[in-house]
Amino acid sequence: MTTLDPWGAVRIDNYSKLFDEFGISRFNELLGRIPDPHRYMRRHVIFGHRSYESILDAMLKGKPFAALSGFMPSGRVHLGHKMVMEEIIWHQKHGGDAYLAIADREAHAVRGISWEKCRELGINEYILSAIALGFEPGGHIYFQSGSDPVKDLAFELGIKANFSELSAVYGFSGETNIAHMVSVLTQSADILHPQLKDSGGPKPVVIPVGADQDPHIRLTRGLAYKMNMFIVEERSGAEGAYISVRGKAALKGALLEIAKRTGGKLYEEHVDIFARDLQEVESVVREVELKHGGYAFMPPASTYHKFMTGLQGGKMSSSIPESYIALTDTPDEGAKKVMRAKTGGRVTLEEQKRLGGEPEQCTVYELLLYHLVEDDKELMDYYKDCVGGTRVCGRCKKYAADLMREFLKEHQEKRELAKEKLGEFGLQVR
């Protein structure tokens, strides 16, 4: 059984197991419908999703949707964080309302980092890099501790959550501090608050994550369900297929309005609706719920990307600087880390030429795949040359190191320019 731990160092060797064990859907089934897909989508780095159809439908129809991710300010910003930032920025460019949360409540509760340090790391590491990568004004950047809507919603969500549920999802025990539990509910509030009335109301929201963060998604989807006034289900009976709308409380007036607007048959605690489209009924139910003071949350969607391997093989760890490249490493430091990285080459040059390399085992090829080469044909040429034994590791490392040096130089120049944009997000350098 695969265990997903949002706060641990996780390596998943068989991603296909997640489809069956956790009910994650295969992303490649949607790929043909996505306009201008990101390279992570094209290259199957994004391998799974929950409810991404709702995002894609809104994107294609020009309807409101949002993309959000949070970053715990506990260390340096690195290429793993860059992956998530790029996914948020891609959705922003395709019409989504973009949110970037600095999870300082989580860092303070789980890592014991001071509020001042959280602020410093949040701005100087994560936010500057996000803006440098293309996060545009009009998007929302905030600290959990400074967002009253998020904190208020977290309190309301706490009414619907209990210790047994949190323990089942996260493995919490009697030794877990209460603030840690509060930080979990705050993350659920992060995910749901783009659907609050002041943020434009219910809409599809996607959270790009690594698979280790799926517990947060599952918990939040469950809480969204609990917070809503109505349950909408497709059913079948003697009269054929129909849609049932059930009230969780005695909302007779609201059920009556739903029955009138959908042509459904009203019962004591539910309405049965025939010959109507599910999405149309759900839209009516949301409108009625909002009118009667409810939230009408849509279950959040999520995408799941593969983890990057540590540069020396194995897990990438923030405690081992040589295992990752920080976006604030100097260009020469980044290039040197690439030159020292583990490759998928054979033991000898003769074997390399005879048997070919193994790019699937090569952290340098992974850097090209994830970050350094945008053109798919160029990447495929490097792959073929590697497996065909015509490209040796030293040459490939040199090429990747030069690309990394160039990327870091350009990125850090953009980080300096990003400081001038902080005011547009209501922030300033500290």
Side-chain angles (χ1 to χ4, degrees):
M1 184 73 175
T2 305
T3 300
L4 300 180
D5 177 6
W7 300 285
V10 177
R11 181 180 179 181
I12 296 175
D13 296 312
N14 186 356
Y15 286 93
S16 64
K17 292 171 65 177
L18 301 179
F19 301 126
D20 297 327
E21 291 186 19
F22 295 99
I24 292 173
S25 300
R26 298 175 188 274
F27 192 83
N28 61 6
E29 296 172 355
L30 302 177
L31 189 57
R33 298 175 55 205
I34 298 174
D36 183 30
H38 191 277
R39 66 179 178 280
Y40 296 152
M41 299 174 179
R42 303 193 308 265
R43 297 173 185 177
H44 307 296
V45 174
I46 295 175
F47 67 91
H49 74 96
R50 290 188 191 275
S51 301
Y52 194 77
E53 298 95 340
S54 64
I55 298 295
L56 184 54
D57 183 66
M59 190 185 304
L60 294 175
K61 294 179 179 179
K63 294 183 177 180
F65 71 96
L68 176 146
S69 192
F71 299 88
M72 182 166 65
S74 59
R76 302 179 70 189
V77 61
H78 55 65
L79 292 177
H81 300 120
K82 173 179 174 286
M83 292 176 65
V84 178
M85 292 174 182
E86 283 194 294
E87 292 175 57
I88 295 293
I89 292 164
W90 182 89
H91 284 93
Q92 185 182 36
K93 289 179 178 178
H94 285 75
D97 202 7
Y99 289 79
L100 192 155
I102 300 299
D104 57 342
R105 274 190 154 193
E106 181 184 14
H108 188 65
V110 180
R111 299 281 189 257
I113 299 172
S114 71
W115 295 113
E116 185 61 30
K117 188 66 175 178
C118 285
R119 184 85 182 175
E120 176 190 333
L121 289 172
I123 292 177
N124 294 335
E125 291 283 334
Y126 300 87
I127 293 173
L128 286 180
S129 275
I131 296 173
L133 288 167
F135 193 96
E136 291 287 345
H140 311 271
I141 299 177
Y142 68 93
F143 286 76
Q144 290 175 330
S145 63
S147 175
D148 288 339
V150 167
K151 289 187 289 186
D152 290 346
L153 181 56
F155 182 83
E156 295 294 332
L157 295 175
I159 298 172
K160 299 296 184 179
N162 58 54
F163 176 75
S164 295
E165 182 178 19
L166 296 183
S167 179
V169 174
Y170 298 103
F172 288 164
S173 69
E175 301 301 314
T176 304
N177 70 64
I178 301 300
H180 192 162
M181 300 180 200
V182 171
S183 77
V184 165
L185 294 172
T186 304
Q187 288 179 76
S188 291
D190 285 327
I191 293 169
L192 292 174
H193 93 277
Q195 299 192 61
L196 293 175
K197 183 177 180 181
D198 289 345
S199 298
K203 65 176 75 68
V205 180
V206 61
I207 319 298
V209 292
D212 61 324
Q213 301 299 305
D214 188 54
H216 294 319
I217 305 300
R218 297 200 309 272
L219 174 70
T220 306
R221 287 171 65 91
L223 289 173
Y225 173 84
K226 291 180 180 180
M227 294 291 284
N228 290 346
M229 291 180 175
F230 301 100
I231 302 170
V232 182
E233 297 177 317
E234 289 184 295
R235 296 190 171 192
S236 60
E239 300 178 61
Y242 66 98
I243 298 169
S244 175
V245 179
R246 297 181 174 271
K248 298 179 183 178
L251 299 170
K252 193 68 175 180
L255 284 170
L256 177 61
E257 183 173 350
I258 290 170
K260 287 181 177 179
R261 291 183 58 175
T262 60
K265 185 174 182 180
L266 177 65
Y267 294 90
E268 185 64 28
E269 294 183 350
H270 65 98
V271 176
D272 288 347
I273 304 161
F274 291 84
R276 296 295 293 268
D277 177 73
L278 177 63
Q279 288 188 340
E280 183 183 3
V281 171
E282 288 177 331
S283 179
V284 170
V285 170
R286 281 195 293 271
E287 290 175 9
V288 172
E289 178 166 341
L290 289 171
K291 180 179 176 181
H292 286 78
Y295 290 100
F297 288 133
M298 297 180 68
S302 51
T303 58
Y304 301 92
H305 57 251
K306 295 177 181 177
F307 296 106
M308 288 192 67
T309 309
L311 294 176
Q312 304 302 317
K315 299 174 183 176
M316 183 186 294
S317 173
S318 59
S319 62
I320 306 175
E322 290 302 310
S323 72
Y324 68 90
I325 294 174
L327 301 186
T328 50
D329 279 339
T330 68
D332 285 343
E333 286 173 341
K336 287 178 182 177
K337 287 183 179 182
V338 175
M339 293 302 295
R340 293 193 291 263
K342 177 181 177 290
T343 69
R346 302 293 179 174
V347 176
T348 67
L349 181 60
E350 187 277 329
E351 283 189 359
Q352 178 87 359
K353 291 180 177 180
R354 179 167 54 88
L355 301 174
E358 297 179 289
E360 294 85 357
Q361 308 297 322
C362 180
T363 62
V364 175
Y365 178 76
E366 194 174 85
L367 289 172
L368 300 176
L369 172 74
Y370 283 35
H371 298 286
L372 298 177
V373 176
E374 182 65 36
D375 184 81
D376 290 344
K377 182 180 182 304
E378 180 184 350
L379 184 71
M380 182 55 69
D381 288 343
Y382 271 87
Y383 182 90
K384 290 178 179 178
D385 288 349
C386 178
V387 298
T390 59
R391 180 173 294 273
V392 296
C393 294
R395 179 182 168 196
C396 205
K397 273 189 174 183
K398 177 67 167 55
Y399 175 68
D402 288 343
L403 289 178
M404 183 60 69
R405 182 184 289 107
E406 181 181 340
F407 163 72
L408 290 175
K409 181 178 182 295
E410 181 180 344
H411 180 71
Q412 288 161 22
E413 289 171 353
K414 290 180 177 179
R415 278 174 54 88
E416 288 301 311
L417 295 174
K419 293 177 181 178
E420 300 173 8
K421 290 187 176 182
L422 286 174
E424 299 180 58
F425 296 96
L427 300 165
Q428 61 183 5
V429 175
R430 290 198 170 189

